[in-house]
Amino acid sequence: MTAPIEGFSKLGKEDKIRWIAQHYTNNSEDTIAILKQYWHSDPKLQNLHDEFIENTITNFYLPLGIAPNFLINNKLYAIPMAIEESSVVAAASKAAKYWHTRGGFKATVLGTEKVGQVHFMYEGDTEKLGHFFKRVQPKLLESVAAITKNMEKRGGGIRNIALRNKSADLENYFQLHCTFETQDAMGANFINSCLEGIAETFKEEAQLYDAFTQQEKDLEIVMSILSNNIPNCLVRAEVSCPVTDLKAQDGMEPMDFAQKMVRAVNMAKVEPYRAVTHNKGIMNGIDAVILATGNDFRAIEAGAHAYAAKDGQYTSLTHASIDDGIFKFWIEIPLAVGTVGGLTNLHPLVKLALEILQHPTAKELMQIVAVAGLAQNFGAVRSLVTTGIQQGHMKMHLLNILNQLGATESEKHKLIAHFKNHTATHSAVVQAFNELRSKK
Ligand code: MEV
């Protein structure tokens, strides 16, 4: 067993690498070589990446792909996607092309409200707390004026502060439930700074409030933090066309295909086991754009799944219908994204991704991201109800297997051609590879 280390963060990068290689890997020389192989050749750029987090030892590569031909609100986008799963970009591109000739995607932002809360414990008269809150509310806003000034100039700021009594759920538990508009910023730092300022003033003012008993004055701030549950920071994206315009799929008539799509979505609506996987497919598209644009995919994931469960049962984030011969497929999802601040003006590839997207506002990025999720879901469900998912997956995964087997470029070429007309399973690929090698 390796003993705990003191002061790891204070070691230089080379020392950190040596330590991890010696203590946790079998071949330290190889480990050191692999880690250094992924350092950027430009020390300035490497330093930039080193400073994003603590204890950086190297860079972790993910492919950045492009899904072109996304017609969104009549504007054509090529969407950058950072993701490791082999079939995602291909599926998004295919769905984009499909809907490009059927009117494209329509997207609307339904709200941009962010949320943050000061959680506190108060033991005393609830009515008195209500009076105190009313009285102190303007002071709470004033006390964070220095923080909100710039945001207000951009049309944002604190929209509301409400006192919420949660003591029926947890004894003595109360909140200041605050709502914010953060314009093109994701706003996490802004919101958290406001909340901490508000909490401090709230605590100070309580001490000075004569009507409170000492116990009431001593209300205890437990924490001040934004919420990733943002049901009113919502975007809707949809596609629709006459059922007769849906292409026949693998011998399936358009109406048959449309009905199968609707049924598959309805299954995800009523069955949580299916809904989780259905939504995972949506998040394949969403997270890839979120990562490429330097946004926080954990926040996006948390908010999306909370929204999927908002009515008490986890359900599908997309919907499908056939009405009067029109097939409609749509998504409604909360997305807290930023196109300024954070990594957006630091990470060179994030900056480039935003340039490729034509420098979107946060609202435009919400629309693009929702569309990527909808397209991904359309692609996945279409495969599931027609050919099955493995055909496309294995086609894309083929290269990964061949790379694992150490296939040469010419072997890859031959085997890719072979699997154009053969089913690619892992064992079939291994067998075909071995046969090809043994022929030599
Ligand atoms: C795989 O990453 C995503 C799917 O499982 C999504 C779905 O089942 O809808 C194919």
Side-chain angles (χ1 to χ4, degrees), residues 57 67 109-110 128 136 150 161 231 233 244 321 362 415 437 440:
I57 52 173
V109 171
L110 304 176
K128 234 195 273 175
V136 82
N150 277 339
I161 308 180
C233 186
T244 47
S321 66
L415 289 165
R437 280 251 160 132
K440 284 186 180 159

Side-chain angles (χ1 to χ4, degrees), residues 94 98 102 241-258 378 382 385-387:
K94 199 169 156 192
Y98 186 89
R102 290 167 178 79
C241 72
V243 171
T244 47
D245 285 358
L246 292 169
K247 223 170 61 192
Q249 309 275 331
D250 290 278
M252 208 183 273
E253 284 309 307
M255 181 51 98
D256 194 14
F257 169 59
F378 178 81
R382 173 172 61 178
V385 301
T386 56
T387 57

Side-chain angles (χ1 to χ4, degrees), residues 11 36 54 92 103 171 196 231 256 259 263 265 291-292 322 327-328 336 351 362 418 424 430:
L11 296 179
K36 288 192 173 179
E54 179 111 315
E171 207 180 357
E196 288 187 5
D256 194 14
Q259 283 170 344
R263 229 177 290 143
V265 172
L291 262 176
I322 305 167
F327 171 75
K328 202 166 13 158
K351 277 202 265 187
H418 171 81
V430 175

